[in-house]
Each structure stands twice: as structure tokens, then as C-alpha cells.
Amino acid sequence: PYKGGNINDSVFADLKVIGKSFNKARIHFDGAISKNLVTYFMDSENFLWTNNKTVQDLVKWMRLSTKEFVKSSDGMSWKNMYINFVDAIFLRVLRGYPQTLNFFWKFGLKQKIRMLTKKNLKSSAGLFCITIKKMDAESLCEAGQLAFRAWVTLNAKNYGVQPLTFASTSIAEALTNSLPVATPLKEKNHFLKGFEIVS
């Protein structure tokens, strides 16, 4: 979990100044995370874990032992994911036997994902959001640049950052009808409703 912090910290004022140097992207902060927003992120994380292909891509990218981490030049160490050694073993099983996802989902994975998401959000200083007015290449590149600048600026002041990309970029894809073709209607509607909540 995060170690709190304060949305009135001077680093957030610095980021507002940095944000003004961008033409197409804007940065917004909120220290009071509403119940609706917490629920939206918990539901989004659940959708992420119900897509077998996405889960397989995700677990292939995770480095589930020190040996794997040292051997590779990419991916993310399990120690950076707020999971314990037992969770790392479970993810290794999931990577080797993708068909076990439904079993794990029915026997506690769904609740665990929701609990961890809520705990992380509640223990944070707050959220920041990058917005653009148009979904064109230049605006998207600016959004990425601003997000990266915010991330490294916060890291320099000892703030950890977790990009909630699935929950946010899926909103953009829903608004532009570019979600994967097989996306269920319930999931599409979730992200369209998410647009109102995040806004």
C-alpha cells in the first residue's frame, strides 16, 4: 500500500506549472477519492482479469522470481506489484496453465483483486488524471509526455505512482468505438459510465 502524502505538497503545485507548458494535454489532481471512483477502478480491474488473453499477456510480462528479473531486461518484478511469495507462485501456475484462471476466479481471485485495488487507492495521497480534447496522434503523444513528466517528478519527491491504464485508456477506446471487437456490451457500458465518473 502507499504511504499517504498530501495533495497540498509543493510537488503538486510544481506539476501544475509543468502542465501549463503543454498545449494539448492537461493534468488534474484530486485528493478526495469518491466511493464511485473506487468502485469504478475495482470493477475495471475485475474486467482486466476476466479476459484470458489479457491475463496471459500480463503474466508473461511479470518477472516472478529474482532469477527471472535478473535474466531479463524488461517486464516488472513481482516485488513491485504488492504481492507476496505465495501470490507469485499462483501467477506462475497461471502462466503455465492458463485454463486455471476460471478456477482461481471462482475461489477468491475476484475478491482479492477488489480488496487490493481499494487498499491501494485508500492509502494514496490522491489521483492525477491527464486529459486531452481530441484523440489525435499529437494529443496522445502530449498526454504520454505529460504523464511521464508527472511520474518522474513525483518519484523524485518519493511518491510512488501506479498508472491505472486499463481503467483510463479503455474509456478513450469506448468513446472512439475502438475497443476490441469481442468486448462484451456490459464491459463497454462500464467504460462509458466510467467516463462520467472520472470526469
Side-chain angles (χ1 to χ4, degrees):
Y2 294 108
K3 296 178 182 177
N6 192 323
I7 205 77
N8 296 316
D9 190 321
S10 62
V11 68
F12 295 102
D14 295 344
L15 284 173
K16 284 181 182 173
V17 172
I18 290 169
K20 287 178 182 171
S21 66
F22 288 82
N23 296 319
K24 297 182 180 288
R26 295 283 173 264
I27 189 164
H28 314 270
F29 301 96
D30 196 346
I33 306 172
S34 72
K35 186 179 177 183
N36 282 350
L37 206 50
V38 170
T39 301
Y40 169 72
F41 284 117
M42 288 194 300
D43 292 343
S44 296
E45 289 299 303
N46 279 159
F47 278 123
L48 173 74
W49 283 89
T50 54
N51 184 316
N52 206 27
K53 184 173 181 342
T54 304
V55 171
Q56 280 308 299
D57 287 346
L58 189 61
V59 293
K60 284 176 189 171
W61 175 74
M62 294 173 177
R63 303 297 163 242
L64 302 173
S65 68
T66 305
K67 185 179 176 184
E68 276 186 15
F69 183 70
V70 170
K71 200 170 152 184
S72 120
S73 61
D74 64 1
M76 187 164 81
S77 170
W78 66 278
K79 292 181 180 179
N80 289 33
M81 294 183 288
Y82 186 47
I83 61 173
N84 59 35
F85 182 71
V86 174
D87 293 334
I89 291 171
F90 145 71
L91 289 168
R92 200 174 289 129
V93 169
L94 194 56
R95 185 163 62 190
Y97 303 95
Q99 65 276 18
T100 60
L101 178 61
N102 288 338
F103 171 80
F104 287 126
W105 190 253
K106 288 176 185 170
F107 290 93
L109 179 60
K110 178 179 181 178
Q111 285 70 30
K112 179 154 187 158
I113 301 277
R114 295 182 77 77
M115 180 197 72
L116 291 176
T117 303
K118 184 175 184 177
K119 193 170 186 177
N120 280 338
L121 289 167
K122 293 290 188 181
S123 64
S124 70
L127 294 173
F128 74 86
C129 181
I130 308 292
T131 60
I132 52 177
K133 289 187 176 179
K134 281 173 60 181
M135 288 288 290
D136 58 32
E138 194 176 339
S139 299
L140 287 166
C141 285
E142 263 205 23
Q145 289 169 337
L146 181 51
F148 188 73
R149 286 285 296 280
W151 192 337
V152 296
T153 301
L154 286 163
N155 282 177
K157 297 289 184 177
N158 291 319
Y159 278 91
V161 176
Q162 171 61 44
L164 297 164
T165 48
F166 184 72
S168 55
T169 56
S170 295
I171 289 174
E173 290 173 344
L175 290 171
T176 57
N177 292 317
S178 53
L179 282 166
V181 176
T183 304
L185 184 61
K186 182 181 177 184
E187 195 170 333
K188 288 179 185 175
N189 289 337
H190 164 75
F191 292 120
L192 289 170
K193 187 178 176 187
F195 176 61
E196 296 170 26
I197 295 167
V198 174
S199 295

